[in-house]
């Protein structure tokens, strides 16, 4: 396939050092994964001689060729295909930006709106939903913006997804541009992520998003593309944060302009909804 070069360039991360989670009686690593998914080298005597108190992605995981990329089809949601990629948290953002615009064919944005906020079952007030639907998404459509969202069917990400779907239906009816939504999520929390694994790439992978209320970490089919950021952890939030901040910073130094004039740096707007101010701290450190 045309994307067969991807595993040579894009990597995933795998935990290579078992650092015991003491609350699990030795059954789990601090990366979140059970002992049995770690290979013999990771759990061998050579590591038991080393005193390690806290698991760290940089020190205790290693990069290998990615094994999840291509296109996915949401079962029961029609034939529309979505791009996806599992990538190491250390991936060069320039490589990913070029992949999205050149190989995936996403239009260069005139604006990037990054929406961060609550996770899980956190309730979002109705007035916030209305602002997302009537303000954010319409503005993104009219300006030719990308919306970066969590990409999962939970909390703020779910609300953004609902607003994008609603506006997408309107756009189809009146021949307007559809909103470009890009989901940036931690690989290790995605429900049914094994359905996406294929070392040769999937064209497409068939993804089943469960409707059960406890399956909130399913991918949201409102997104045209998914960047599934891998820091080697399992069932732990936040592994995508630094990569996303680096990507936003890179995009903010690219140029766009009316009719392709290319003389305006792409503005990046970060919106915090139903979350803590610390969620924005890493972005402050980038500037």
């Amino acid at each position: 396939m045309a994307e067969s070069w991807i595993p040579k360039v894009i990597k995933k991360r795998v935990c290579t050092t078992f650092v015991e989670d003491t609350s699990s009686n030795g059954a789990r690593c601090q990366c979140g994964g059970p002992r049995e998914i770690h290979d013999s080298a990771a759990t061998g005597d050579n590591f038991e001689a080393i005193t390690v108190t806290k698991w760290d992605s940089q020190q205790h995981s290693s990069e290998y060729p990615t094994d999840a990329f291509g296109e996915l089809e949401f079962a029961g949601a029609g034939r529309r295909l979505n791009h996806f990629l599992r990538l190491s948290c250390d991936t060069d953002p320039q490589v990913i930006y070029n992949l999205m615009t050149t190989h995936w064919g996403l239009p260069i944005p005139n604006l990037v709106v990054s929406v961060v906020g609550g996770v899980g079952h956190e309730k979002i007030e109705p007035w916030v939903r209305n602002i997302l639907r009537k303000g954010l998404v319409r503005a993104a459509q009219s300006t030719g913006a990308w919306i970066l969202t969590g990409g999962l069917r939970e909390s703020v990400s779910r609300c953004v997804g609902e607003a994008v779907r609603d506006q997408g239906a309107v756009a189809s009816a009146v021949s307007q541009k559809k909103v470009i939504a890009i989901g940036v999520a931690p690989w290790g929390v995605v429900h049914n992520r094994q359905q996406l694994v294929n070392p040769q790439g999937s064209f497409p992978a068939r993804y089943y998003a469960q409707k059960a209320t406890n399956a909130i970490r399913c991918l949201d089919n409102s997104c045209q593309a998914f960047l599934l950021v891998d820091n080697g952890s399992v069932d732990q939030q936040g592994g995508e944060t630094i990569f996303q901040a680096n990507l936003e910073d890179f995009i903010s130094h690219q140029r766009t302009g009316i009719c392709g004039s290319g003389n305006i740096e792409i503005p990046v707007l970060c919106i915090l909804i139903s979350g803590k101010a610390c969620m924005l701290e890493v972005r402050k450190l980038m500037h």
Side-chain angles (χ1 to χ4, degrees), residues 247-270:
L247 178 63
E248 292 166 5
D249 182 64
F250 174 81
I251 294 175
S252 73
H253 292 91
Q254 307 313 299
R255 292 185 177 273
T256 185
I258 299 173
C259 299
S261 60
N263 57 4
I264 302 173
E265 288 191 340
I266 301 173
V268 176
L269 173 65
C270 189

Side-chain angles (χ1 to χ4, degrees), residues 213-277:
T213 55
N214 61 346
I216 59 174
R217 290 180 171 177
C218 291
L219 297 176
D220 191 313
N221 68 355
S222 65
C223 296
Q224 280 82 1
F226 296 93
L227 301 177
L228 306 177
V229 185
D230 191 1
N231 71 344
S233 69
V234 178
D235 291 330
Q236 295 181 10
Q237 295 282 358
E240 81 289 3
T241 304
I242 293 178
F243 168 79
Q244 183 170 341
N246 285 330
L247 178 63
E248 292 166 5
D249 182 64
F250 174 81
I251 294 175
S252 73
H253 292 91
Q254 307 313 299
R255 292 185 177 273
T256 185
I258 299 173
C259 299
S261 60
N263 57 4
I264 302 173
E265 288 191 340
I266 301 173
V268 176
L269 173 65
C270 189
I271 299 177
L272 175 66
I273 300 175
S274 188
K276 298 179 180 179

Side-chain angles (χ1 to χ4, degrees), residues 42 139 174 191 248 281:
V174 297
H191 187 70
E248 292 166 5
E281 288 301 317

